[in-house]
Amino acid sequence: MVTFLPSRPGRLADVPSFTRAIGGAESNVACALAAAGHRARWTGRVGADGFGDHLTAALAAHGVDVTTVQRDPRRPTGVYFRTDADRATDAHEVAYYRAGSAASAMSPATVPHETLAGARILHLTGITAALSADCRALLHTLTAPRPGRPLVSFDVNHRPALWHDGDAAGVLLDLANRADLVFVGADEAETLWGAPDARAVAALVDRPAVLVVKHGAAGATAFDRTGRAGGTDGAGGTGGTAGTAGAGGAVHQERPPRVDVVSTIGAGDAFAAGFLSATLRGLPLPARLRHGHLMAAAALTTPGDLATPPSRARADRLAALGADAWGRLRLGPGWTSADTEADEEVRTR
């Protein structure tokens, strides 16, 4: 979608002007992965209008492949307006204008399997499922077992304002259990399914090979059911805790570095991108969590949805810090810039 960012804090009713940008969980992840040096393709539908032109051009400028994007001559590109307050607070407002949009007309017929040829990971979110019955059918088709299916990553991304039929809990739980890798916030899991903690989430979302439960500033808990998550080989002296979670598989917890937060918008998408980047590189689970936290820290220290990630070498070095140095690491605005590296070294001693 095209997103309109407020020119100043306050209620939508009081904001006099907005700045145009691109938005959307899947496109945020695609842009972050492209910036991290991966080949990323965004597949979707936009209107044959100026906003559709802007979206495809902006994604392409971020290095994302948009060759499979479809233009709909009868339906508009979706847009939304938001305030700059923390999404987790009651002060945050979002006004969606996507009913009848080109994206809402996606269906199994508009995204043939050939579109995914060569993909190693297919990243989906629950936002798409909320747009229409056809979109829901598309996700059901894409998550169905079939020969050659890429690893399916699913971010629950519950947006209550988009669900009008009361089916969110059941639909999102079903889709999560059809995926290989799942991201879910502890808060949304409690709202959707009444799960009070990460282990309760793991008992419900019990089929994916990897489940990541995010706790905001408290970090993330990952459950690995493949038997390959243990240890810290390739991740230096990681400072999380590893153990056994019974039916949930091996469990690893990792706290993020301390971050001077500018805006929380886009941090969840950035975390997913960092985790997926490390997954594509074959890094062990502790390192994947740390890379997720580092990519999220880049988003948290910038005002928009998209942020410049740290270089791969720098992210690897930080992810390999010992427990004490990781615990002392503090990241603020501009930390991904090369000229902040020396100062960052001082802050981890």
Side-chain angles (χ1 to χ4, degrees):
M1 292 182 300
V2 170
T3 178
F4 288 91
L5 311 177
S7 58
R8 71 183 190 193
R11 302 182 310 150
L12 284 178
D14 300 327
V15 175
S17 59
F18 297 81
T19 300
R20 184 188 63 180
I22 61 172
E26 299 87 351
S27 57
N28 286 345
V29 171
C31 288
L33 284 170
H38 300 281
R39 289 184 298 165
R41 177 187 302 150
W42 183 77
T43 297
R45 288 171 63 83
V46 299
D49 51 29
F51 286 152
D53 294 341
H54 170 66
L55 266 177
T56 52
L59 288 170
H62 279 87
V64 175
D65 180 350
V66 293
T67 55
T68 58
V69 175
Q70 299 176 2
R71 308 297 295 268
D72 191 324
R74 297 183 300 276
R75 298 177 180 87
T77 302
V79 301
Y80 78 105
F81 296 76
R82 67 170 174 83
T83 58
D84 67 354
D86 188 331
R87 182 175 281 156
T89 71
D90 292 337
H92 183 68
E93 296 177 76
V94 178
Y96 290 105
Y97 297 94
R98 60 195 311 171
S101 67
S104 71
M106 289 189 297
S107 72
T110 68
V111 187
H113 291 310
E114 293 76 19
T115 303
L116 309 177
R120 294 174 59 192
I121 293 178
L122 170 62
H123 182 68
L124 308 169
T125 82
I127 296 173
T128 302
L131 299 184
S132 68
D134 282 344
C135 284
R136 200 171 302 176
L138 170 62
L139 291 197
H140 198 265
T141 298
L142 292 175
T143 56
R146 64 177 178 84
R149 188 187 87 168
L151 183 150
V152 174
S153 166
F154 181 70
D155 193 333
V156 170
N157 248 324
H158 180 221
R159 296 288 183 267
L162 296 176
W163 290 90
H164 306 295
D165 53 14
D167 290 340
V171 169
L172 294 175
L173 182 59
D174 175 63
L175 287 171
N177 274 316
R178 295 166 67 87
D180 304 303
L181 164 61
V182 171
F183 301 97
V184 63
D187 54 348
E188 60 186 351
E190 184 169 15
T191 298
L192 282 167
W193 308 314
D197 54 39
R199 289 178 185 269
V201 179
L204 289 167
V205 186
D206 59 352
R207 297 178 192 173
V210 177
L211 165 68
V212 180
V213 182
K214 300 174 292 181
H215 309 287
T221 303
F223 298 86
D224 182 273
R225 300 171 177 115
T226 67
R228 298 192 297 269
T232 59
D233 55 309
T238 60
T241 60
T244 302
V251 60
H252 189 89
Q253 297 172 312
E254 191 70 68
R255 294 186 65 88
R258 291 172 292 170
V259 177
D260 298 329
V261 177
V262 173
S263 171
T264 60
I265 301 298
D269 301 330
F271 178 92
F275 192 97
L276 291 174
S277 173
T279 299
L280 285 165
R281 297 171 59 202
L283 302 183
L285 189 59
R288 282 179 266 164
L289 285 170
R290 285 199 173 184
H291 278 273
H293 286 319
L294 290 169
M295 194 79 86
L300 288 166
T301 51
T302 56
D305 287 34
L306 298 173
T308 301
S311 68
R312 182 173 292 187
R314 189 175 187 187
D316 284 343
R317 179 176 57 76
L318 293 178
L321 289 172
D324 290 343
W326 178 262
R328 292 193 300 272
L329 180 62
R330 182 167 185 169
L331 304 171
W335 75 271
T336 60
S337 172
D339 59 8
T340 65
E341 193 160 356
D343 183 50
E344 174 187 288
E345 290 285 357
V346 171
R347 293 198 299 270
T348 61
R349 290 175 185 167

